[in-house]
Amino acid sequence: MRHINRKPDRSTGVFLAALPFVLVVIAYAVGSEMRLSVNPQDKLLPAPSTIWDTAVRLFTQGDRRTGDILLWKDTWASLTRLLGGVGIAAAISLSLGMLIGLFPYARKTFAGFVAVLSMVPPLALLPILFIVFGLGELSKVVLIVIGITPIMTRDLAQRVLDIPHEQIVKAQTLGASSGVIALRVALPQILPRLISNIRLSLGSAWLFLIAAEAVASDVGLGYRIFLVRRYLAMDVILTYVIWITLLAFLIDWALKTLSRKSFPWMEAGL
Amino acid sequence: MSFVSVTDVWQSYGDRSILERVNVEVDEGEFISIVGASGCGKSTFLRMLLAEETPVRGEIRIDGGEPASEPNRERGVVFQRYSVFPHLTVRNNILAGEGFATRWGRLRGAARRAGLERADAMLARIGLNHVADQYPASLSGGMQQRLAIGQAMAAKPRVLLLDEPFGALDPGTRIAMHEFLMELKAETGMTVFMVTHDLEEGFKLGDRVLVFDKPRWDPHDPGAYGATITYDFDARDGGIPFQHLKEAEDV
């Protein structure tokens, strides 16, 4: 039997899916054990039990001075920036993408501009953003917006152009105006694309967020990681990395579920 | 004056001539089949009837009105594919035939209730009332085309344009669709233009069959001359239109 036709059964599938995770954990535990047996003071690869203790402490114990639990404060600050930036980017790219996709005049005006804009490396603009918008929340949100909007816009505009021309003509023969075509034909078909677009852009959004927080901030997940780096506090860094990964995974899962619930017609053909 | 009049229409894309000197007069309620080899401009002709394209010369008028510059409610259309909206349920697809012409693209209140009743009547007529709440993707090809025709009819167009509407259907479904279309046509008396590559289908359904072909042909430059209507058959009574007339005279 050809390998492309061989499929694992259910239990094998679960085992295979879990395998890489288990291997990474084992490799880490072994590496950590080897280093700690040579030097019990080693900080580079803290034992899994140490990470667990640190995690429990970070999630439950308040700061000695203020009593605030820093991890939750960091999480709240970072998520506000992230979701704010992604939300603004989604709104801009949706409206601009619809304009470019539907209206030839807007297409001629903006398509080339957005294409060039998407080539600008956003992180290179970070100093400018800090100078223009200051070191507060605004510059971080703007970095996320600048970082992901152009590419989202290009993709959404293409999705609008991908709507079969027959549908657009058909809508016109039913008497639809440009606005009605945008609102009732293009928008509903583009919304699921917007959600998958957001899911793909969240990775870059996290990147820009952490970069901005690392450079200048006083609270946030990225800030904390780069702060404790100075003390080589690997247990804290690893806890934060795992926590960020978990947050990213949960947001992605929530968006996927939302998409499936909101757009039943997408899957009606399956 | 005839209902649809096509006067000296020429069409070309750049140097490539597609249609030349197309003249045809069509009476209200006629079913016109358009046949021809592929690439002979029959779909271009339909797009000009639809006003999706404007001819470089000549004009097309419906009921003596001004030549249209873009598709409008006078011209209903059914394409081979993608004629219905995948994100609307079957019932809402029919309702769109009325609702899309409003300011916000949706009927409200009493107008919506009345529209829903008409939509359900249309669904019963095209035999789709049992799938009213499903999405088009879950329908078979024949059902989707019936829905597309019903949706076009719901907007009450003056001319119905069909671009190879049954081209993607299997032979059995196609024959069922022929019957459905003939019934609908007998009920409404609508003027229909249908492009098809199936000669038999063209003669079976049409009152007239227009054949598009190139009368002039330059072997060194195939794009030099466009196609035009080379035959205009009367296809009524199985293509022998005057048999009753003759018999009547003999007696």
Side-chain angles (χ1 to χ4, degrees):
Chain A
M1 201 174 182
R2 288 183 187 80
H3 288 293
I4 55 166
N5 291 327
R6 292 175 57 180
K7 299 185 182 94
D9 61 29
R10 200 179 157 76
S11 54
T12 319
V14 171
F15 169 74
L16 287 175
L19 189 62
F21 293 100
V22 174
L23 285 181
V24 167
V25 170
I26 291 176
Y28 180 86
V30 170
S32 162
E33 182 59 37
M34 278 162 66
R35 286 188 70 98
L36 287 170
S37 63
V38 178
N39 171 17
Q41 298 301 310
D42 181 69
K43 297 189 82 171
L44 217 56
L45 296 181
S49 59
T50 317
I51 298 178
W52 176 254
D53 293 341
T54 308
V56 170
R57 177 171 60 79
L58 287 171
F59 274 101
T60 52
Q61 285 181 26
D63 186 55
R64 259 168 296 175
R65 210 150 32 84
T66 59
D68 295 333
I69 299 177
L70 288 176
L71 186 131
W72 293 112
K73 265 183 83 177
D74 290 337
T75 305
W76 174 249
S78 287
L79 280 185
T80 313
R81 292 163 186 160
L82 183 83
L83 298 182
V86 171
I88 294 170
I92 296 176
S93 59
L94 180 63
S95 23
L96 208 53
M98 293 257 294
L99 282 176
I100 292 174
L102 281 175
F103 301 94
Y105 271 88
R107 185 148 63 239
K108 274 276 177 279
T109 313
F110 293 117
F113 182 66
V114 173
V116 171
L117 217 58
S118 68
M119 301 297 165
V120 178
L123 281 178
L125 297 176
L126 190 53
I128 305 178
L129 298 182
F130 280 138
I131 293 167
V132 175
F133 298 109
L135 299 178
E137 298 300 302
L138 188 59
S139 55
K140 298 174 187 66
V141 173
V142 171
L143 178 69
I144 296 175
V145 172
I146 288 183
I148 63 177
T149 304
I151 292 175
M152 285 176 78
T153 306
R154 284 180 77 178
D155 189 64
L156 285 177
Q158 191 54 50
R159 297 297 182 183
V160 176
L161 286 168
D162 286 346
I163 293 176
H165 189 62
E166 286 91 338
Q167 280 186 33
I168 308 288
V169 172
K170 177 85 181 204
Q172 293 180 59
T173 64
L174 301 181
S177 62
S178 300
V180 170
I181 290 174
L183 193 67
R184 303 274 174 232
V185 180
L187 183 66
Q189 296 195 58
I190 226 65
L191 280 179
R193 303 292 179 196
L194 178 72
I195 291 188
S196 64
N197 225 309
I198 292 175
R199 287 176 63 195
L200 287 173
S201 302
L202 268 171
S204 323
W206 276 106
L207 167 73
F208 296 127
L209 173 74
I210 297 199
E213 286 181 344
V215 175
S217 184
D218 53 10
V219 64
L221 296 166
Y223 162 73
R224 198 67 56 195
I225 289 179
F226 276 78
L227 182 75
V228 300
R229 175 193 57 137
R230 298 176 198 166
Y231 316 116
L232 219 63
M234 284 295 279
D235 49 345
V236 178
I237 295 180
L238 286 172
T239 304
Y240 267 73
V241 169
I242 294 168
W243 176 233
I244 291 173
T245 310
L246 186 67
L247 285 176
F249 182 81
L250 286 177
I251 295 174
D252 188 67
W253 176 83
L255 285 171
K256 195 165 90 180
T257 310
L258 174 72
S259 179
R260 224 185 18 236
K261 289 265 159 63
S262 315
F263 310 110
W265 54 272
M266 286 284 285
E267 282 174 296
L270 299 176
Chain B
M1 177 116 187
S2 56
F3 187 60
V4 178
S5 68
V6 178
T7 323
D8 194 30
V9 160
W10 295 61
Q11 180 66 302
S12 59
Y13 302 139
D15 288 342
R16 222 153 51 86
S17 209
I18 305 293
L19 291 172
E20 51 185 47
R21 281 179 313 215
V22 178
N23 286 287
V24 67
E25 302 286 325
V26 173
D27 291 327
E28 187 158 15
E30 274 191 304
F31 192 123
I32 311 293
S33 297
I34 300 169
V35 298
S38 51
C40 68
K42 54 188 195 294
S43 287
T44 304
F45 181 63
L46 198 82
R47 279 201 296 276
M48 289 195 296
L49 285 172
L50 186 56
E52 191 187 342
E53 288 178 18
T54 43
V56 290
R57 245 197 277 169
E59 56 186 29
I60 297 172
R61 290 174 189 273
I62 293 180
D63 204 9
E66 280 302 299
S69 57
E70 58 178 1
N72 56 29
R73 270 176 82 84
E74 282 191 322
R75 303 126 203 265
V77 68
V78 174
F79 296 104
Q80 187 174 351
R81 294 174 63 200
Y82 305 123
S83 285
V84 292
F85 301 108
H87 59 288
L88 298 177
T89 61
V90 168
R91 182 182 284 118
N92 283 336
N93 258 297
I94 299 284
L95 205 57
E98 296 185 39
F100 271 19
T102 59
R103 183 174 166 76
W104 295 103
R106 180 173 275 181
L107 297 172
R108 286 168 201 284
R112 183 177 168 82
R113 281 192 293 278
L116 274 174
E117 260 172 45
R118 282 192 295 275
D120 282 340
M122 176 63 81
L123 283 175
R125 188 154 111 192
I126 60 178
L128 290 181
N129 38 7
H130 60 295
V131 289
D133 295 313
Q134 292 184 23
Y135 290 96
S138 64
L139 304 185
S140 69
M143 288 159 100
Q144 287 196 23
Q145 287 308 78
R146 262 188 284 166
L147 175 60
I149 293 173
Q151 183 189 48
M153 303 284 283
K156 298 192 170 56
R158 312 199 62 183
V159 177
L160 184 63
L161 306 168
L162 310 172
D163 192 357
E164 301 196 12
F166 313 132
L169 304 181
D170 61 87
T173 314
R174 192 181 294 199
I175 287 170
M177 289 298 290
H178 290 167
E179 282 163 17
F180 164 69
L181 193 60
M182 293 318 283
E183 279 171 24
L184 212 59
K185 159 108 175 52
E187 266 178 62
T188 59
M190 180 161 324
T191 313
V192 183
F193 289 82
M194 179 181 74
V195 167
T196 177
H197 54 251
D198 182 349
L199 272 177
E200 203 182 320
E201 180 177 274
F203 275 94
K204 179 179 167 191
L205 297 179
D207 296 324
R208 277 163 78 184
V209 177
L210 304 181
V211 182
F212 276 72
D213 202 358
K214 294 187 177 183
R216 295 183 289 171
W217 176 257
D218 182 347
H220 303 290
D221 185 5
Y225 302 114
T228 189
I229 297 173
T230 50
Y231 292 98
D232 184 349
F233 291 106
D234 196 328
R236 280 168 296 187
D237 296 331
I240 315 171
F242 302 114
Q243 54 184 335
H244 302 306
L245 209 65
K246 284 277 186 200
E247 282 162 6
E249 274 173 11
D250 286 345
V251 171

